[in-house]
Amino acid sequence: MRTLVLQLARFGDIYQTWPTLRALRRKFPDGELHVLVRARFATALEGFPGLIVHQLPTAEILGPVYNCGDIDLAQQELADFFAPLSELRFGQIVNLSFSPVSSYMTDLLATPDTVVRGYTRHSDGHLQIPDDPSAYFYAQVGVGRANRYHVTELFAAVAKVELTAEDFCAKPTANPRSGVVVHLGASSSDKIYPADLWVRALRTLRLNSVQTITLIGSQDERAISETVHRQLDADINIINLVGKTTLPALMDVIAGAQVVIGSDSAPIHMAALTATPVLNLSSRMVNFWETGPLTPGSRIFFVPMLSDLNPDLIGLNTVALLRGEPALDSCIERTDWNGPYQAWGQSFNDFSWQLIQALYSSGPYPALETKEDSLALNRLFELAELALMQLDRFINSDTRATASKILRQVDSLLIEVGRLEPRIDPLVQWFETQRLRIPPGETAATLILTRSLFEELRVICSLYRTVGNVEQEIKKARGLCRECVPELREYNVAAVHSSFYALVSTLVELARSQHLQKIDWALVLGELNKAVENGDWLNAADILEWKLEPAFAEAVGEMII
Amino acid sequence: MNDTENKLNQALQRLQQCSQKIVQTRGYTMEVKSLKILEEMIREQMTNAHTRPATRTIR
């Protein structure tokens, strides 16, 4: 198998791709493993044996545009770069970049026989997300979102490989390790801890007998390192390597350290490959759940803004980490390379994360916590109902134009509900992404797929819906039962598809309402679900006709009395 | 807007027009694919995509 991995991101993401590349090598031991990276970041693959690295020459390709606005020449440069790559006719392309440009590149390089994972393009040029992990990435990953899967895991999932502990052992570590390595800078200013606070943190380290402190960083970070170095007392043994090391040399430095201290940047991802524990300074500007340190024993100190972090506590907690003692403050800890982060003394938005797990991993749907959540989910339910009505009207050419207009309104309102109530936004994002994944095709087929998705959204929202008029809902359910049963008995599911899912959604609401306690809802809904999964429509009809309808009839009778 | 931004903007507009015309007449061809790559590479330059991790780029 000849595999191409596209990784067009920066140093940090490239290092987070190493375990996936190692797993791909293990999965295809005799195959060729090619990687496409931007030329500027290609050094992050130095030290990885046996890779065939292709460097995207952005400067050369765009040079003619910058110099004289010459698009034709730029196009020629692009063609010259991609022609030999196309000739390789890759058996598999794994796009780990999640960007528009990478999706077009994947599409350009894929042959009809290529297995593609990650973003690519449909035959009409629209974005295609062929695999579930990439769809998850599209919907849920990013700063400020509720995702808690680490990008390293997600990269592996996109590539369809299982990671093992050995995939993280890229470098033999020094024995014994010594000293503390500090990365003062970061790739963007909002991730940088202030220089004066670094000085205090490093002084605390020295006061607690840490002998050697090595500063690391790129050429661009020389200013902050010199500022910090200048302000430290002469008796602190500082080795300033900022701007003086290559990336492979930096990996050696990190491999020899007892602890690395730094914010979310490439060195902490290099530490994951050398089993070096990290004391990570984290804030809202990043998402530690998805890009935090992975070495077991690593600790994350999270504050809204990095400048809120007490420098003395950085020093004292580093000493605690060195001595194998518990953290002195609330923190998030990595106890296992593939386990989740453990939050000690800090709480995070669990509702949204549980909602994500319910949507993607069959976890239980979380209980409502706020009135706003309830309102937002009710609005989504109503929007789903409205959309389903309009989809029915869409079939009729007389009402199509109006239905189409209302459906567009529904689309924008769905997004608005997610924006106004971010806690339920994972549901909106999931729905929007699944809609985006509907492939180009005939209108009728697209309508069926769109309808199914809205029905699914309605069922999910109905889990949270409070029944206003129980009698009315029971009558509705009874009517739907009567409508569906004869058709289900004939296996004519298509004829009552929409009524059946409306019934399921009503049943879910009634189950929550506590009014029909004679019905063992868990049992009945479980049996119904199983019948649907097995396509056993006779059994489904039996459940509706013999278990539910009589109970509804009795309940309505009782209410009238 | 400086000279470089001007050039990038003009190039972007031309690329968009070219690819649109081809899509309308011949569909989504190989030529459109490479025009789109160029278009997106320029867009990345204009939005300073290089300064942000790709896990957070425009989706």
Side-chain angles (χ1 to χ4, degrees), chain A residues 168-169 171-181 212 251-260 270-278 295-296 322:
Chain A
F168 291 86
C169 304
K171 198 96 192 158
T173 53
N175 200 10
R177 293 167 179 268
S178 68
V180 172
V181 164
T212 310
M251 182 98 90
D252 288 335
V253 172
I254 288 170
Q258 284 175 286
V259 172
V260 171
M270 295 165 96
L273 302 171
T274 60
T276 312
V278 172
T295 308
L322 286 167

Side-chain angles (χ1 to χ4, degrees), chain B residues 29-45:
Chain B
T29 61
M30 289 300 276
E31 197 184 353
V32 177
K33 290 179 192 182
S34 61
L35 286 170
K36 283 288 184 186
I37 292 174
L38 215 47
E39 193 182 310
E40 291 300 339
M41 284 177 81
I42 292 173
R43 221 186 287 278
E44 282 184 341
Q45 301 291 311

Side-chain angles (χ1 to χ4, degrees), chain A residues 10 38 66-67 107 141, chain B residues 7 28 44-45 50 59:
Chain A
R10 298 161 57 89
R38 293 182 201 270
Y66 273 106
N67 296 336
D107 190 30
V141 175
Chain B
K7 276 182 189 162
Y28 179 63
E44 282 184 341
Q45 301 291 311
H50 285 267
R59 307 254 171 80

Side-chain angles (χ1 to χ4, degrees), chain A residues 9-10 13 38 58 61-62 65-67 71 75 78 100-101 104 107 121-123 125 138 141 143, chain B residues 4 7 11 14-15 28 33-38 40-42 44-45 50 52 54-59:
Chain A
R10 298 161 57 89
D13 279 1
R38 293 182 201 270
T58 310
I61 292 169
L62 293 184
V65 177
Y66 273 106
N67 296 336
I71 290 175
Q75 242 190 304
L78 189 80
V101 73
Y104 285 109
D107 190 30
R121 293 276 149 183
H122 280 295
S123 55
Y138 184 94
V141 175
V143 175
Chain B
T4 309
K7 276 182 189 162
R14 273 186 57 201
L15 283 164
Y28 179 63
K33 290 179 192 182
S34 61
L35 286 170
K36 283 288 184 186
I37 292 174
L38 215 47
E40 291 300 339
M41 284 177 81
I42 292 173
E44 282 184 341
Q45 301 291 311
H50 285 267
R52 304 171 67 206
T55 45
R56 277 185 273 144
T57 50
I58 327 142
R59 307 254 171 80

